[in-house]
Every structure is written in C-alpha cells, then in structure tokens.
Amino acid sequence: MKTGRLKQGSAIVSNIILLLDALTVWQAAELAAWLRFGSSTSLPLGYDSLIVATSLLAMLCSSLVYQSFRGGSWQAMYGRVVLAWVITVGLLLSWLFFSKSSEAYSRIFVGTWIATMLPLLLLQRTLAMQALRWLHRRGVNTREVLLIGKGPMSNDLAKRAREASWSGFKVTRQVSASDLARITQLASDATYDEVWINLPAHEASIIPDVLEALKHSAADIRVVPDLLTYRMINHGVTFIMGVPMLDISGSALGGVNRLIKQIEDYILASIILLMISPLMLGIAAAVKLTSPGPVIFRQKRHGWGGEEIVVYKFRSMAVHQEHDKVTQATKNDARITPLGAFLRRTSLDELPQFINVLQGRMSIVGPRPHAIQHNHYYKELIPNYMLRHKMKPGITGWAQVNGLRGETDTIDKMKWRVEYDLHYLEHWSVWLDLRIVFLTVFKGFVNKNAY
C-alpha cells in the first residue's frame, strides 16, 4: 500500500508551492528594483529586510488559504492566490503606515512591486499545475481510486477525474454497489489509495452494507453525495431553541445581506439611469415612430416571495391580444417588429427595468422573471422551481451570463436555468453581483438565442 508515501508526497508538493510563493514575491521585488533603481544591487539600505519579511509574510498568507492541487479547480486556486496577495499587500501597507516608515521607501518601487507580484504569482501557479499534470500523467504521485456506483452520476465523476489529470486522481476500477462480494475482494487487494462511494439518494440505505464490505480496506473512503444531498448540506444549519435544523431552502440574502443588496441596487440603478437616459429617450421615440401602440410594454410577473409585480419593457412586438396563454417569442416570430428584433437581440428593450429596480420591484442581478403562466406550468415539472422567488427578479443573472438566455423550448433548458438561479441564490455576494454585471457588459447583452 502506497498511501502513506503518497500523502507524504502531497505534503512535499504543498510545501514546495508555498516556498515558490515566497521566491516569486522576492523575484517581483527584484524586477521592481531593476525598473526603479536600474539594478537590485542598487537597493538603498533597509530594502533587503523589507523584501525578506514580505516574502515570508506572503508564504504565511498563502499557507492560510492554500488548497491542495488535488482538491480544487483552476478558478478556486487562482481565487486563493488573489486572496493571499490581498492579505499580504494589506498587511504590508498597514505596517508601512502605522510604523510611519512609508517615507523611507520609494513609492514607485512599492507600487511596481505590488503590481508585478500578482501576475507573477498567477503565472507560477499555472506553471506548477501544468508540471503536476505532466507528472501525474506519467504515474508520479497519483492516487488510484475504486469507484463504487454505476449510473450517470458515477460516470460523470469518473469523467471529471480523467479530465482533471493535474489532480492526480485516477479511477482504475468502477463496480456496482450491489456487488458486495466483488467490493470485499477488491478492498482486500490493497491496491487502491481511495474508495469513492457515489450513490443516488434513493440508494443511500445500502451504504452501511458497502462500508461493511470495505471494513478491511486501508484506503481513504469517501462518500460523494448526489446533487440533492449536496444542496441540502450546503444550505447550512440554523439553531432554533438550541435545536440544530438543516436549512433546506436557505438563502444567502438574509439579515444584513438583504439590506446590502438593496443599497447596491439603488446606487447602481441611479448611476446607470443617469448614464442611459439619453439612449432611453431615443429608443422611446423610435418605438413610437415605427409602430402604433404604447412605448412601454407592461406585464405581470412574480417577484420576491411570489408576489405579483408589474415589469416594464420597451414594446418590441406589434400590439396583439393573448388571453389565457403567454407564448414565448421564437425565431422569426411574426409578432416582433423590425426595431423590436434589434432591441431584443441587444437587450435594449429591458432598459426600463432599471426603473423597476428603483421602485423596489426588481434587482439588477437575480433570476430573470418569467411570465406568471410559465411559472404555473414549470413549477409542476421542475423540482424547487419556485425557490427562484426567494429573491427579487433581476435584469441580468447568473444563468444569463452562462449562455442560458432566450427561448426555453425544452424542459431540460429550463432545468439548467433553474440550477444556475438556485446556485446564485445560495452563493450570493456583492462580488458575485459585480462579476455578473461585468460579464453582462461583455457577453450578456447580445446573444444569438435572444429573439
């Protein structure tokens, strides 16, 4: 069994990475010195001690937020590098300020050092991940996995392990959970470093039998929850009267977060409306001049808590009547005017919804509001569909910037949209909102699926 050696190898890799962080900070200082003084050997007295102290500080900060290359994605790894950089820079600047020693160091040097530190750290991690990918593909420091469970979830897990070759996990055998004799035999072979049990929720009752079959295995045994179980666990626990209760339909927008998001909406909506008011006046005039009917189209939607609200849009269709059924716009829809087609394709028809934000009916970022008739239809077909209404609907959303915009002509498309909406609901933060707004500017307005 090589598990101990592999764990030791992983620890060595982690320590090497942290040491590389310190050396990278040092190299960033060398580069800043060359740009400011012409040579690192020309550094004034006291600079060397500052560089050494900050390099060790960066190593410490990296260790606090470090995530093993085996356990995280590229995005998570980069996020932790940025966080460690922010902490390091914050502590460095705080020390310079409170010790009243900032005047002893060149502002150009310190600014250049801070600016070059982050890209060099990101480059170092990228090269490290590529090197680990190359080593793992050649069998160095890998962890062999026995995967128990067959079906779509397990197949997807095995696929993820193959694609994430830099993680070092290698699924070498997959067996059905019902074949307990085979599991016992494989567990006794002592060739596996890890055992992953991946079963759907309705088969959870067999897990004790599987664990009994694995009782002689020295491998690391892990249970991989299905999507439903993960979502339940991810909501957290609330203590009421001293009793722990699992939050099934929890939201990140409780308490002070709700107030923060409301302030964020009012500030951003006010600024944006001031900037786009000339454009909105031009669009209003164009709508009025190109087709008969009102400039603003009003339609009822469900808002926070399922309450009915009125949502504004620039009218993009010829005036028509729909009684008990709301028909989604489709490609080459005869109801859409030529100007309306352009407005819908570029999302300019949704600009009046910033007024809805100031009214408190909508948010800038959130699940897109669907027609009330569509909500009644889909809530019977898609689990947790109505949880979308645990926050205000948004002008843009996490689903939209991930390509799920426009017509939802299949149940699967709507299911994926709901999945992204619920992810946003559970992981909301101001930074996520700003990220979605940023992504909307570059890829959320014009979309081939919007018509």
Side-chain angles (χ1 to χ4, degrees):
M1 192 68 173
K2 55 183 182 298
T3 303
R5 177 170 57 82
L6 288 170
K7 286 185 176 180
Q8 183 181 8
S10 298
I12 293 174
V13 169
S14 301
N15 291 331
I16 290 175
I17 295 299
L18 296 178
L19 179 60
L20 287 175
D21 286 346
L23 293 176
T24 301
V25 172
W26 183 286
Q27 290 301 312
E30 294 278 332
L31 177 59
W34 179 78
L35 293 173
R36 174 63 181 90
F37 302 109
S39 171
S40 61
T41 59
S42 302
L43 282 172
L45 186 65
Y47 276 65
D48 284 335
S49 58
L50 177 69
I51 294 171
V52 171
T54 305
S55 298
L56 295 176
L57 176 63
M59 185 174 177
L60 174 63
C61 294
S62 293
S63 67
L64 294 175
V65 299
Y66 179 76
Q67 182 179 28
S68 168
F69 282 90
R70 293 194 189 280
S73 64
W74 289 74
Q75 294 86 348
M77 188 67 67
Y78 290 148
R80 290 172 182 272
V81 171
V82 173
L83 178 58
W85 173 78
V86 169
I87 296 173
T88 302
V89 171
L91 292 175
L92 170 64
L93 295 180
S94 297
W95 179 80
L96 291 176
F97 175 78
F98 287 110
S99 65
K100 298 182 179 180
S101 57
S102 58
E103 295 182 357
Y105 302 98
S106 165
R107 289 182 174 83
I108 297 177
F109 166 79
V110 174
T112 305
W113 186 18
I114 291 173
T116 56
M117 196 187 301
L118 180 59
L120 288 179
L121 285 169
L122 294 174
L123 176 61
Q124 175 259 111
R125 289 300 179 91
T126 302
L127 295 176
M129 293 182 82
Q130 293 289 4
L132 285 174
R133 182 196 294 267
W134 184 85
L135 291 172
H136 289 150
R137 283 179 174 175
R138 284 153 182 80
V140 179
N141 198 29
T142 58
R143 292 182 70 81
E144 295 187 6
V145 178
L146 169 63
L147 177 58
I148 298 177
K150 289 191 174 181
M153 289 193 308
S154 296
N155 295 337
D156 179 67
L157 186 59
K159 179 183 177 184
R160 286 172 180 264
R162 287 194 301 270
E163 293 176 347
S165 56
W166 50 266
S167 68
F169 291 111
K170 185 178 181 181
V171 177
T172 56
R173 185 69 64 90
Q174 186 174 353
V175 62
S176 172
S178 60
D179 194 348
L180 297 175
R182 182 60 173 159
I183 293 173
T184 301
Q185 178 187 357
L186 292 171
S188 64
D189 288 344
T191 57
Y192 299 100
D193 303 293
E194 301 219 359
V195 178
W196 295 350
I197 304 173
N198 187 209
L199 302 176
H202 66 273
E203 294 183 15
S205 60
I206 200 177
I207 291 180
D209 296 330
V210 173
L211 294 176
E212 176 66 20
L214 292 168
K215 65 182 180 181
H216 297 306
S217 174
D220 293 337
I221 301 174
R222 310 182 194 276
V223 175
V224 184
D226 67 1
L227 184 61
L228 174 61
T229 305
Y230 174 77
R231 174 165 290 141
M232 290 171 61
I233 295 173
N234 195 45
H235 285 158
V237 175
T238 298
F239 284 83
I240 298 178
M241 299 177 297
V243 179
M245 299 185 184
L246 189 65
D247 299 330
I248 300 301
S249 59
S251 169
L253 278 176
V256 70
N257 286 345
R258 180 173 179 175
L259 176 62
I260 292 173
K261 185 167 177 63
Q262 189 169 356
I263 294 173
E264 168 198 324
D265 283 333
Y266 286 150
I267 292 175
L268 290 179
S270 300
I271 295 172
I272 292 173
L273 276 172
L274 286 174
M275 295 173 59
I276 66 174
S277 54
L279 175 61
M280 291 181 64
L281 289 174
I283 293 175
V287 171
K288 193 65 178 178
L289 293 173
T290 55
S291 65
V295 170
I296 298 296
F297 174 70
R298 296 171 174 84
Q299 191 171 33
K300 289 185 178 180
R301 295 285 194 265
H302 280 137
W304 196 325
E307 178 185 359
E308 285 192 7
I309 60 173
V310 177
V311 173
Y312 303 146
K313 280 188 175 184
F314 283 121
R315 181 174 56 82
S316 58
M317 292 184 175
V319 177
H320 63 283
Q321 289 291 331
E322 287 190 346
H323 299 287
D324 298 327
K325 181 181 179 182
V326 176
T327 306
Q328 276 191 333
T330 58
K331 195 171 185 179
N332 301 319
D333 196 317
R335 300 171 298 170
I336 301 176
T337 65
L339 174 63
F342 170 76
L343 295 178
R344 296 173 73 95
R345 190 166 57 251
T346 57
S347 299
L348 294 175
D349 62 321
E350 296 172 358
L351 294 184
Q353 290 172 18
F354 285 103
I355 299 175
N356 288 136
V357 175
L358 291 182
Q359 291 174 331
R361 300 174 183 174
M362 292 183 65
S363 181
I364 292 179
V365 180
R368 287 293 298 152
H370 298 158
I372 291 177
Q373 292 86 342
H374 294 160
N375 288 336
H376 292 320
Y377 173 72
Y378 286 114
K379 73 180 182 182
E380 302 296 338
L381 300 175
I382 301 175
N384 300 318
Y385 176 86
M386 292 302 288
L387 293 182
R388 303 174 71 252
H389 301 101
K390 291 182 70 66
M391 66 168 56
K392 294 178 184 178
I395 299 175
T396 185
W398 185 232
Q400 282 62 48
V401 298
N402 280 280
L404 296 168
R405 181 182 170 220
E407 183 184 12
T408 50
D409 52 347
T410 67
I411 295 294
D412 284 340
K413 286 184 180 180
M414 183 59 78
K415 284 182 178 178
W416 276 111
R417 180 181 289 186
V418 172
E419 286 295 328
Y420 277 95
D421 288 340
L422 295 183
H423 175 89
Y424 172 77
L425 176 70
E426 295 161 5
H427 297 87
W428 174 86
S429 69
V430 173
W431 301 115
L432 180 58
D433 273 1
L434 295 178
R435 178 184 176 188
I436 292 172
V437 171
F438 177 81
L439 291 174
T440 300
V441 172
F442 289 95
K443 65 177 185 180
F445 281 111
V446 180
N447 190 289
K448 64 180 181 180
N449 297 322
Y451 33 77

